[in-house]
Amino acid sequence: MTNFVKQTAASVIGSLLGLFIFFGIGTTGLFLLLFAIAATQDVSPVVKNKSMLVFDLSLNITDREPTAGEELQRTLSGTPEDRITIRKVLDAINQAKQDPKIVGIYLDGSKGSGGNLGFASLKEIRKALEEFRAAGKKVVAYGQDWGKKEYYLSSVADTVVLNPLGAIEINGLGSQPMFLSGALQKFGIGVQVVRVGKFKGAVEPFILNKLSPENREQTQKLLDDVWSEWRTTVGTSRKINPQKLQAIADNQAIVEAPAAKTNGLVDQVAYHDQVVADLKKLTDSDQNEKNFRQVDILEYSQVINKSLKAEQSSKNQIAVVYAEGEIVDGSGDNEQVGGDRFAKIFNKIRQDKNIKAVVLRINSPGGSATAAEIMQREIRLTHEVKPVVVSMGDVAASGGYWIASDSSRIFAEPNTITGSIGVFGILFNGQKLANDNGITWDVVKTARYADAQTVARPKSPQEIALYQRSVNRIYSLFLDKVAKGRKLPEQKVAEIAQGRVWSGVAAKQIGLVDEIGGLNAAVKYAAEKANLGNNWQLKEYPKENSLNEIVFGKAVEEASTALKIPGQQQVKATNPLTAEFQKLQQELEVFQSMNDPNGIYARLPFNLKIE
């Protein structure tokens, strides 16, 4: 619902602006419009000598750029969101490493954390910070309360400072699924499952009351891999044995400031003003000033973005395509990977002679099998004429792996979540619920399976067999694609599939991933594969309309169709019981997202409709 509201608001705002122009703008409207345009223009700051680059850990960091409509919506609402792409973060850190005006980076954890990044993305940023330190520049981190993710990133600093009343959460990783089968039975909701892959654990909350042995095994292995990487990485930076970190997790869990200092987790216990005083010395700032000499990473990224574009001006282009979100049929919204929309992107890229190579950045738990196949077809055709390199982010599982399977090379971080090569479908029925409330059905039909998708009764064995046949076909196609794309024996693929999720490091060991590395490593490889040397520039997709295009372009053309009054729309008559089941399905999906917040049981859902 939140995504729908965001999209609708952005669409309406864009269309209203088009109507203002088309029908004439009043003084207030003109002022509002000019203010919005001015607010979205890049104003490059002046970077002073001996400045600290300030990296606010509460920033919302994403793969893709926000659309102009989203930016305009936030500007007009008066609630602009601090948002930056991971690509810009990496570029800013790399540029600051070479910038003589930048003396260090300050990781500011005083405002909490954005919390949207997974460990794989944090690993990539951490690498950039390590290279920054290796260049002889300082990294200082300050926090008040650090979770495992915040401390994982901040522990890379030369100096780690914790507020005297602060604490660090070091308690390991856990997964506690919620099982709904008992509640569904109580309320009279029938559940039938068709699936292939004994590790496809996403169905278990609906049919079991505890983890299956297979699901427990894969979850334990995944958590062990990610936790081992956490302990090794943090331990190396802080010069603490991983076994000691395990002991802290087992015996302390929440480490308060004094104990954090004693155990070597932090270098100093100090207040924010004391950190500011030290940073003033580092930057030779006037002690009477309120703050130290600094430049925010958002502002700095604007400066270096312009300089990088100038430096990389070239006819040779490397396309970076960001597939972030659930894979869905059709075009999808801004936070989804629409199969049709992304297929068109690859079709266009394939025919663009200036684009010499492609990097497909995947941050998706999967989704529609049909949409994934539509995309994968265009990706494979593109791969036949130019290199296509995959960079896996936090999650590239199920449908996310489907679209990655046929590429020149696959990069992943050690703590990337991938695999989940399996298929399932869940079919609900409300026969008992309805009957207990005096509701019955009767049916007239012209063929045996005409009512196969009804919610009035459980599916017959023959109907289940039909659904299972379709699931088996999709799974067989999935295995074949992986075997051919990865050049692996079919028997081996069958063994490592089964719907099982793998960490990036485990995926490399079994052949699902080629190399451990992030987005920058993938871009570098793509340039080498296309023999471009240093003569290339990046071109990012999906391309979002600029504010000017929204105001002066499509908004006018689409104004007549985009602005529709909800009360005047014709609504197709809906069976009340069908509406209730649709509502139930939505609620179950919410429960599932609570049960699986990281999307580690990503899937290619069987395309079922409850009608």
Side-chain angles (χ1 to χ4, degrees):
M1 179 59 71
T2 302
N3 293 339
F4 174 77
V5 171
K6 286 181 179 178
Q7 265 199 301
T8 303
S11 175
V12 169
I13 288 170
S15 301
L16 280 173
L17 290 174
L19 287 175
F20 284 159
I21 295 169
F22 189 77
F23 294 111
I25 307 175
T27 304
T28 304
L30 178 60
F31 176 77
L32 181 64
L33 179 58
L34 293 176
F35 172 78
I37 294 175
T40 58
Q41 299 303 307
D42 289 340
V43 180
S44 298
V46 175
V47 181
K48 299 179 180 179
N49 285 325
K50 292 194 172 182
S51 290
M52 291 290 290
L53 180 63
V54 177
F55 184 177
D56 184 349
L57 298 186
S58 68
L59 278 175
N60 180 16
I61 302 174
T62 60
D63 273 359
R64 68 170 183 85
E65 291 276 8
T67 66
E70 290 172 326
E71 292 285 16
L72 182 58
Q73 174 192 349
R74 285 192 286 266
T75 299
L76 294 178
S77 66
T79 56
E81 179 186 31
D82 288 339
R83 175 171 169 173
I84 190 172
T85 66
I86 190 170
R87 177 75 194 175
K88 285 186 176 179
V89 170
L90 299 175
D91 284 344
I93 296 172
N94 182 61
Q95 185 67 19
K97 177 180 66 177
Q98 308 167 50
D99 191 339
K101 294 181 179 180
I102 301 295
V103 296
I105 292 178
Y106 173 49
L107 303 177
D108 182 6
S110 63
K111 301 176 186 176
S113 169
N116 58 306
L117 288 185
F119 283 114
S121 296
L122 292 172
K123 177 75 172 180
E124 193 160 4
I125 296 173
R126 217 178 178 283
K127 286 179 183 177
L129 291 170
E130 288 174 349
E131 293 172 0
F132 181 88
R133 280 190 59 187
K137 297 190 176 185
K138 297 292 183 182
V139 178
V140 178
Y142 170 77
Q144 295 173 346
D145 287 291
W146 275 316
K148 291 179 286 289
K149 288 184 179 180
E150 296 79 46
Y151 184 68
Y152 176 77
L153 182 62
S154 299
S155 63
V156 74
D158 297 273
T159 305
V160 181
V161 188
L162 183 62
N163 185 282
L165 293 180
I168 306 174
E169 179 188 66
I170 301 180
N171 59 348
L173 302 174
S175 174
Q176 189 176 32
M178 178 190 298
F179 292 87
L180 309 173
S181 60
L184 293 174
Q185 290 174 15
K186 178 180 178 180
F187 291 109
I189 304 297
V191 181
Q192 293 170 291
V193 169
V194 285
R195 66 168 170 173
V196 181
K198 61 183 179 180
F199 291 99
K200 269 292 180 182
V203 302
E204 292 186 359
F206 303 105
I207 57 176
L208 302 178
N209 58 14
K210 65 178 182 179
L211 291 167
S212 68
E214 295 84 2
N215 197 4
R216 183 177 297 278
E217 175 191 342
Q218 73 165 346
T219 304
Q220 188 68 61
K221 179 65 168 65
L222 178 64
L223 293 179
D224 286 345
D225 285 350
V226 177
W227 178 236
S228 175
E229 200 281 332
W230 191 98
R231 289 183 297 129
T232 300
T233 299
V234 171
T236 300
S237 290
R238 298 302 306 164
K239 296 181 174 57
I240 301 175
N241 191 296
Q243 284 71 34
K244 180 178 179 180
L245 289 172
Q246 183 65 49
I248 291 172
D250 289 334
N251 299 292
Q252 297 185 56
I254 304 298
V255 188
E256 297 178 345
K261 177 71 164 61
T262 301
N263 283 286
L265 297 170
V266 301
D267 300 293
Q268 297 175 21
V269 174
Y271 292 99
H272 183 257
D273 62 283
Q274 294 173 302
V275 176
V276 170
D278 289 340
L279 292 175
K280 283 182 179 180
K281 294 177 183 177
L282 182 60
T283 56
D284 288 344
S285 301
D286 189 336
Q287 291 298 316
N288 295 321
E289 292 291 329
K290 291 183 179 180
N291 219 326
F292 55 92
R293 195 176 294 120
Q294 61 184 262
V295 58
D296 184 85
I297 194 168
L298 279 167
E299 297 176 332
Y300 190 69
S301 67
Q302 295 176 14
V303 178
I304 63 128
N305 189 44
K306 291 180 179 179
S307 63
L308 286 175
K309 283 182 178 179
E311 290 175 10
Q312 294 184 341
S313 180
S314 171
K315 290 184 178 180
N316 297 325
Q317 297 173 344
I318 297 176
V320 181
V321 182
Y322 297 100
E324 183 177 25
E326 181 185 3
I327 299 173
V328 298
D329 295 322
S331 296
D333 62 28
N334 292 326
E335 297 180 357
Q336 296 174 322
V337 183
D340 292 344
R341 179 161 58 103
F342 276 76
K344 290 177 182 177
I345 288 173
F346 272 92
N347 185 283
K348 182 177 179 180
I349 286 173
R350 182 168 70 253
Q351 299 179 59
D352 191 332
K353 295 181 179 180
N354 290 328
I355 296 177
K356 309 300 182 182
V358 187
V359 173
L360 173 58
R361 171 72 170 191
I362 303 173
N363 236 324
S364 172
S368 164
T370 304
E373 174 61 9
I374 288 172
M375 283 181 62
Q376 202 271 341
R377 167 70 177 174
E378 292 295 335
I379 293 170
R380 183 174 65 80
L381 293 175
T382 304
H383 183 208
E384 291 176 358
V385 296
K386 58 188 71 177
V388 176
V389 181
V390 168
S391 168
M392 292 181 170
D394 295 319
V395 182
S398 204
Y401 193 82
W402 183 300
I403 63 176
S405 59
D406 196 346
S407 56
S408 305
R409 199 162 188 80
I410 297 178
F411 288 77
E413 293 290 5
N415 34 24
T416 293
I417 298 170
T418 189
S420 193
I421 302 169
V423 188
F424 75 85
I426 300 177
L427 302 105
F428 297 100
N429 78 81
Q431 185 181 57
K432 186 177 185 303
L433 172 65
N435 292 169
D436 289 347
N437 288 277
I439 299 173
T440 59
W441 289 270
D442 204 348
V443 64
V444 177
K445 54 186 179 180
T446 62
R448 182 178 183 182
Y449 298 112
D451 63 338
Q453 293 191 11
T454 180
V455 297
R457 58 172 175 76
K459 303 295 178 285
S460 68
Q462 294 80 10
E463 289 168 332
I464 288 292
L466 290 177
Y467 286 113
Q468 188 66 54
R469 184 177 67 190
S470 295
V471 167
N472 292 345
R473 183 181 67 83
I474 296 173
Y475 183 65
S476 178
L477 179 62
F478 202 166
L479 295 183
D480 183 64
K481 284 184 176 296
V482 174
K484 290 178 178 177
R486 300 301 303 155
K487 296 179 174 58
L488 293 172
E490 291 184 8
Q491 182 59 36
K492 181 177 181 179
V493 175
E495 292 171 2
I496 62 180
Q498 295 296 321
R500 180 162 184 167
V501 293
W502 303 90
S503 67
V505 65
K508 185 176 184 301
Q509 293 169 354
I510 60 177
L512 293 179
V513 165
D514 295 299
E515 194 166 335
I516 298 298
L519 179 57
N520 280 343
V523 171
K524 182 180 178 182
Y525 180 86
E528 293 173 353
K529 189 75 173 175
N531 299 314
L532 299 180
N534 294 321
N535 182 23
W536 54 270
Q537 67 177 19
L538 292 180
K539 189 173 184 179
E540 297 181 311
Y541 295 87
K543 292 182 66 178
E544 307 296 353
N545 290 333
S546 69
L547 180 58
N548 287 337
E549 289 172 329
I550 286 181
V551 174
F552 299 106
K554 285 189 175 181
V556 174
E557 298 173 12
E558 298 176 354
S560 60
T561 57
L563 286 177
K564 294 182 178 179
I565 308 301
Q568 295 179 352
Q569 290 179 338
Q570 291 187 349
V571 180
K572 182 180 179 181
T574 303
N575 184 310
L577 191 60
T578 299
E580 285 301 311
F581 272 102
Q582 289 173 338
K583 181 179 179 182
L584 171 65
Q585 187 180 33
Q586 292 171 355
E587 291 173 350
L588 290 173
E589 289 173 355
V590 172
F591 275 121
Q592 179 58 31
S593 66
M594 293 168 60
N595 174 57
D596 183 25
N598 293 320
I600 63 172
Y601 301 124
R603 63 200 186 279
L604 285 168
F606 190 57
N607 188 20
L608 302 175
K609 292 187 294 184
I610 299 179
E611 296 182 339

